[in-house]
Amino acid sequence: MYKLSKQKILRKNREFQSVYRYGKSYANRYMVLYVLSVKEPQSKVGFAAGKRLGNAVTRNRLKRLLRETYRLNQNQLKTKHNLLLVGRKAATTVKCAVVERAFKDLCKKARILE
């Protein structure tokens, strides 16, 4: 139920680029959410953290937070959307609950919550 399988994760560079290029973006203090409508029945999600955020440990922690936030809330989201979550500097120092609240706010803005 709460598993995040490998088939649901964006892996290829062209998949990331299409979401960046053609998707609509929604942002708050902690992250940017890119949403791209697709025809496939299964949604995919990608996670990114740029080098400006800090060293590898910091970036990987942030991506783990983003993955966990998505994993816990994936059943509340509409299907047929590819998502890309990009962490921001403010998210590197906060707890998981804050990131989760920020993610839910962005999903409400994007109208992808069921």
Side-chain angles (χ1 to χ4, degrees):
M1 180 173 157
Y2 288 114
K3 188 172 186 210
L4 182 58
S5 63
K6 287 189 179 184
Q7 291 85 20
K8 291 185 177 183
I9 296 178
L10 293 174
R11 294 273 179 206
K12 298 185 175 156
N13 186 27
R14 83 180 128 93
E15 293 174 331
F16 273 87
Q17 292 303 320
S18 67
V19 177
Y20 270 126
R21 191 169 294 134
Y22 304 113
K24 184 146 174 53
S25 67
Y26 303 90
N28 61 21
R29 184 175 177 200
Y30 300 105
M31 70 182 75
V32 181
L33 173 68
Y34 290 89
V35 180
L36 177 66
S37 296
V38 292
K39 294 177 182 170
E40 295 133 20
Q42 186 172 1
S43 299
K44 286 190 171 188
V45 64
F47 307 97
K51 284 201 170 186
R52 273 193 238 162
L53 300 180
N55 60 11
V57 175
T58 305
R59 295 193 309 267
N60 287 333
R61 179 185 177 275
L62 179 57
K63 286 191 280 187
R64 280 195 308 271
L65 281 175
L66 295 174
R67 270 195 299 271
E68 182 68 7
T69 299
Y70 177 80
R71 186 185 71 82
L72 293 174
N73 295 293
Q74 65 185 340
N75 295 332
Q76 300 171 13
L77 301 177
K78 293 179 182 176
T79 57
K80 297 191 177 187
H81 292 287
N82 282 356
L83 305 177
L84 181 59
L85 292 168
V86 182
R88 286 189 161 174
K89 185 77 170 174
T92 59
T93 58
V94 295
K95 301 283 184 186
C96 191
V98 177
V99 175
E100 191 170 349
R101 195 172 332 113
F103 175 70
K104 285 183 179 180
D105 288 343
L106 288 179
C107 289
K108 284 178 190 171
K109 269 190 201 176
R111 296 187 182 127
I112 57 173
L113 279 179
E114 286 187 342

